[in-house]
Amino acid sequence: MSLHYPIVLIAAVLVTGAAVAGYVTLQRRRTAALAAAGLTGSSKRAAVRRHLPYALLLAALPLLLVGLARPEATVVVPRVAGTVMLVFDASNSMKADDLQPSRLAAAQEAGVAFVEAQPSSVDIGVVVFGDQALTTQEPTDDRTTALAAIKRVGGTGGTSLGQAILASLGTITGKPVALPAEGAPPPDLGYWPSATIVLFSDGEETGGADVQAAADLAATAGVRIQTVGVGTTQGTTVAVDGYQLATALDEQQLTSIAKTTGGSYHRAADTDEVSDAAGAIDLRLTSKKEPLELTAPVAGAALVLLLLGALLMTRWHGRIV
């Protein structure tokens, strides 16, 4: 516990000590006067009635003075906080319409709902990827900026889930991240337990950085990846450069990525379920130390003691003195 005005505590000790000393002195004089008059001895009950009301008033005095010092305690408050990277697959397969109006549009809708549901303590960044990955918005607590970045998502080409994870890690750590050469130790990224990557994708991988190695790197850095599967396992076809290409949701790939980092996979079979899955994502709980002023409870305790002492004085002695 700390005090805004610690000098008041010294005054409280001195004033309370003086009051107690004064009361003891008065009682000794009273006892001596009664003894001189030949009135000695009293029952325990009488002693309680005589001293208890004054004891309550004296106990209230230091509480009132300490309340003037504005005491406060530091409490640990759990909250959702940290950095969240929303990662959107913008490859050709995300143009498929097995989710209406398209997989990408459904992912964007879910991303918007996700951002709007987050507290201001969460900074949100946006990464868009196809066969490469690009950070389109650095993490920010400005929801308008994050939403605008999501609504701009669009692209073409193949899919590199591994590259998307590496780009997200680079944004989180503030430095470029690449997979180590074969046989080399992984790079030291530090430990980022308050960071989460939320990956919206159909899971189809067409090349690029090794997905499992990238997920392992995220796990080593303490970054959890939550995956949202966008599309259907039955799949459909999508037109690319005049050709019809088959595409389907790869749940196994997305589940493996999430499991590696301690995250979870959320399946979504239609647009509404994509939004529901995004809303069910469990973000990291952190704690923050916040001051809690104790003036009110301390003053309240003093008031209770004063009222109780006054009530007993009135009942037992017929006056408040």
Side-chain angles (χ1 to χ4, degrees):
M1 186 177 73
S2 61
L3 301 172
H4 280 266
Y5 308 109
I7 194 171
V8 177
L9 183 61
I10 299 175
V13 172
L14 295 176
V15 171
T16 303
V20 171
Y23 178 74
V24 171
T25 300
L26 287 174
Q27 290 302 313
R28 285 177 177 174
R29 290 178 179 177
R30 180 177 182 277
T31 300
L34 290 174
L39 301 173
T40 59
S42 61
S43 65
K44 290 184 178 180
R45 182 177 181 183
V48 169
R49 286 185 173 227
R50 184 168 68 250
H51 297 299
L52 181 57
Y54 294 100
L56 293 173
L57 295 180
L58 289 172
L61 179 60
L63 291 178
L64 286 173
L65 293 173
V66 169
L68 293 176
R70 294 184 60 189
E72 67 178 24
T74 300
V75 296
V76 178
V77 180
R79 65 172 187 163
V80 175
T83 300
V84 175
M85 296 303 302
L86 297 183
V87 184
F88 293 89
D89 184 348
S91 60
N92 285 322
S93 61
M94 291 294 285
K95 298 176 183 178
D97 60 2
D98 49 351
L99 295 187
Q100 294 296 323
S102 70
R103 293 177 183 176
L104 181 57
Q108 287 174 293
E109 182 179 333
V112 167
F114 178 88
V115 170
E116 291 175 342
Q118 301 312 308
S120 59
S121 55
V122 174
D123 291 336
I124 298 176
V126 178
V127 169
V128 179
F129 73 97
D131 44 18
Q132 295 296 320
L134 175 66
T135 301
T136 62
Q137 178 57 57
E138 296 289 332
T140 176
D141 61 0
D142 184 343
R143 297 295 180 255
T144 301
T145 302
L147 291 172
I150 292 172
K151 293 174 183 178
R152 290 196 303 267
V153 172
T156 186
T159 306
S160 178
L161 295 167
Q163 196 61 43
I165 295 171
L166 294 178
S168 301
L169 290 175
T171 303
I172 290 168
T173 61
K175 58 185 178 182
V177 176
L179 294 178
E182 186 175 352
D188 183 8
L189 304 181
Y191 197 64
W192 304 83
S194 63
T196 301
I197 296 172
V198 181
L199 176 64
F200 296 89
S201 176
D202 55 25
E204 289 193 322
E205 173 73 8
T206 59
D210 183 270
V211 181
Q212 188 57 51
D216 288 338
L217 196 58
T220 301
V223 178
R224 185 167 53 185
I225 301 177
Q226 306 277 11
T227 56
V228 180
V230 185
T232 61
T233 54
Q234 294 80 12
T236 185
T237 58
V238 61
V240 178
D241 297 331
Y243 296 93
Q244 293 294 320
L245 300 179
T247 176
L249 174 63
D250 187 344
E251 292 188 305
Q252 183 176 356
Q253 178 82 277
L254 296 174
T255 301
S256 176
I257 293 172
K259 185 176 180 181
T260 297
T261 63
S264 57
Y265 167 67
H266 302 264
R267 181 182 180 183
D270 57 40
T271 303
D272 290 337
E273 286 190 22
V274 174
S275 296
D276 291 343
I281 289 173
D282 179 26
L283 296 184
R284 297 295 177 91
L285 275 178
T286 63
S287 60
K288 179 183 179 182
K289 292 183 177 180
E290 294 185 354
L292 176 64
E293 189 161 335
L294 302 176
T295 301
V298 170
L303 181 60
V304 170
L305 292 175
L306 287 173
L307 290 176
L308 186 56
L311 178 63
L312 293 179
M313 280 187 178
T314 303
R315 182 177 180 83
W316 290 340
H317 307 299
R319 67 184 188 279
I320 300 178
V321 177

